[in-house]
Amino acid sequence: MIITASRLLALLTFPGIIVHELAHRLCCDIFKVRVFEVCFFRLGDPAGFVIHERPPSLSVACVITLAPLLFNSVVSVLIGVTVGIDLFTLCSQLTIQQILRLWLALSIGMHALPSAEDLRALRIELEQNEKTRGIANVFDSVIKPIPLVKGLLNILWFDLLYAITVCLVAGIAVVNS
Amino acid sequence: MTNPLTDSAHAHHAEGRTNSASDQRHSLQSCPYPTWIYGFITILLYASVWSLVRLPESVEAARSLKIAEHYLGDGQLRNAAQSFKKTLSIDPTSAKARIGMALSLLSIDSEQVDDQAVDYLKDLALSASDRTKLRSAAPIKYHLYFSTRDDS
């Protein structure tokens, strides 16, 4: 098996992938959408997936698709807010336990954003609904440049930036509240 | 990644699982969670609870630090030292609090506290700007401690 940069990153941030798929799965359970197969993590492309039946409505499909954005962000904040304050505000020396928590929080936060496959699945839903077929065409213009945009964002480490920002903003908000 | 089976052929092709997924499609219940995921969720819960339990202490330390920095900016050195002390009582490793404490003590015109101030800086990697600030506040006999590369 060839270890590419994206696979290495997936391996380093595997808790985030598990939480991302767990968010999809839990959402399916909440809305009673049957799940046929789940892979929480693997060293492949994609690194994880959830195969489920067609959601009963478009709004449910949207919620299932976007669930990791909320779920991963919240879990990342819960785990990372204290370490974030210690590291960024107090500039404390971190213990090994704190470093592990920081890694856990950042890797979970890094997988909060919906993947290109998530958006593609949502696009299929939009296309199959007569009322939203028009939106699907607009959606195409969003999805098509995703590989390019994703490549650019990967160069900027956007996922990591998002995870750090989420923990940092939460920390600042809590301290200033 | 989520993959609804709206178009089974497409979904199966994408995942390369023509048989297994289509067989399961007609089952009434979702596939079960693997056992290890409960262990993983327990770790997440433990990490979250630990973080929330520690949060009030960290917030208090951060607030004391902010107050101390405010006092230091206003030139209220003894109040600043008190607040830095409070931060350090919660988190003795806070670099900002240790530097701030040293700066406050060195700025107080008293030889008694100067040695204490230097103690707070032990084993701390100081930036050039910190060194400059400390040097300007410290008595001449301590200037060697805070020399920068430009001085050599």
Side-chain angles (χ1 to χ4, degrees):
Chain A
M1 181 185 287
I2 302 164
I3 299 285
T4 58
S6 64
R7 277 184 185 168
L8 188 66
L9 189 65
L11 191 64
L12 289 173
T13 60
F14 76 92
I17 296 168
I18 298 171
V19 175
H20 183 106
E21 303 311 333
L22 188 63
H24 287 313
R25 172 69 208 251
L26 287 172
C27 235
C28 286
D29 290 347
I30 289 166
F31 291 104
K32 295 188 170 43
V33 173
R34 259 183 301 161
V35 175
F36 302 117
E37 193 173 0
V38 185
C39 172
F40 287 103
F41 179 69
R42 63 174 185 172
L43 270 181
D45 191 23
F49 58 84
V50 176
I51 301 176
H52 56 80
E53 70 178 346
R54 191 179 174 189
S57 67
L58 182 64
S59 53
V60 172
C62 286
V63 172
I64 292 172
T65 301
L66 299 174
L69 183 62
L70 182 70
F71 193 73
N72 281 50
S73 300
V74 168
V75 175
S76 176
V77 165
L78 281 177
I79 296 171
V81 66
T82 309
V83 188
I85 292 171
D86 291 346
L87 184 65
F88 298 114
T89 310
L90 297 167
C91 298
S92 307
Q93 265 177 10
L94 297 186
T95 61
I96 291 172
Q97 205 185 44
Q98 282 172 305
I99 291 168
L100 282 174
R101 285 172 215 282
L102 186 66
W103 163 71
L104 196 60
L106 291 182
S107 52
I108 291 170
M110 281 175 77
H111 291 279
L113 301 175
S115 63
E117 287 81 6
D118 289 342
L119 295 176
R120 220 164 278 141
L122 187 61
R123 189 219 171 276
I124 293 170
E125 276 303 311
L126 288 168
E127 198 179 30
Q128 292 194 346
N129 191 319
E130 265 185 38
K131 286 179 189 169
T132 54
R133 202 163 287 160
I135 302 172
N137 295 330
V138 178
F139 212 69
D140 274 345
S141 58
V142 177
I143 290 176
K144 270 181 189 159
I146 275 181
L148 179 70
V149 174
K150 217 179 163 207
L152 284 171
L153 292 179
N154 280 347
I155 292 168
L156 297 171
W157 287 83
F158 185 75
D159 295 334
L160 181 62
L161 211 63
Y162 174 80
I164 292 171
T165 307
V166 161
C167 290
L168 194 66
V169 168
I172 291 169
V174 170
V175 171
N176 289 323
S177 64
Chain B
M1 169 193 178
T2 172
N3 202 341
L5 285 176
T6 48
D7 174 352
S8 56
H10 163 74
H12 293 163
H13 173 72
E15 297 306 327
R17 281 175 181 72
T18 312
N19 295 328
S20 60
S22 60
D23 290 346
Q24 289 169 27
R25 191 188 167 109
H26 301 291
S27 63
L28 288 170
Q29 286 188 327
S30 290
C31 63
Y33 284 87
T35 316
W36 62 265
I37 203 84
Y38 297 106
F40 181 79
I41 292 169
T42 308
I43 292 170
L44 290 185
L45 283 173
Y46 169 75
S48 304
V49 169
W50 181 90
S51 177
L52 292 177
V53 167
R54 272 262 301 126
L55 186 62
E57 262 192 2
S58 282
V59 170
E60 201 186 333
R63 282 181 181 160
S64 299
L65 182 72
K66 267 183 72 177
I67 293 166
E69 284 173 342
H70 182 77
Y71 279 136
L72 190 62
D74 278 358
Q76 298 182 48
L77 302 172
R78 291 193 189 276
N79 286 338
Q82 286 257 314
S83 292
F84 281 125
K85 200 173 182 180
K86 193 177 171 188
T87 303
L88 288 169
S89 69
I90 300 166
D91 184 354
T93 68
S94 168
K96 272 190 183 175
R98 285 169 67 188
I99 292 167
M101 185 68 165
L103 199 58
S104 308
L105 293 178
L106 287 171
S107 302
I108 295 169
D109 198 15
S110 162
E111 279 194 19
Q112 284 178 322
V113 290
D114 287 345
D115 287 337
Q116 282 179 41
V118 176
D119 279 348
Y120 279 108
L121 300 171
K122 260 183 195 162
D123 307 321
L124 205 62
L126 297 171
S127 69
S129 69
D130 289 332
R131 282 176 189 278
T132 310
K133 272 189 223 166
L134 288 161
R135 210 179 130 125
S136 62
I140 294 168
K141 66 173 181 172
Y142 290 104
H143 278 201
L144 195 65
Y145 284 104
F146 313 119
S147 60
T148 57
R149 256 182 230 155
D150 300 335
D151 303 326
S152 56

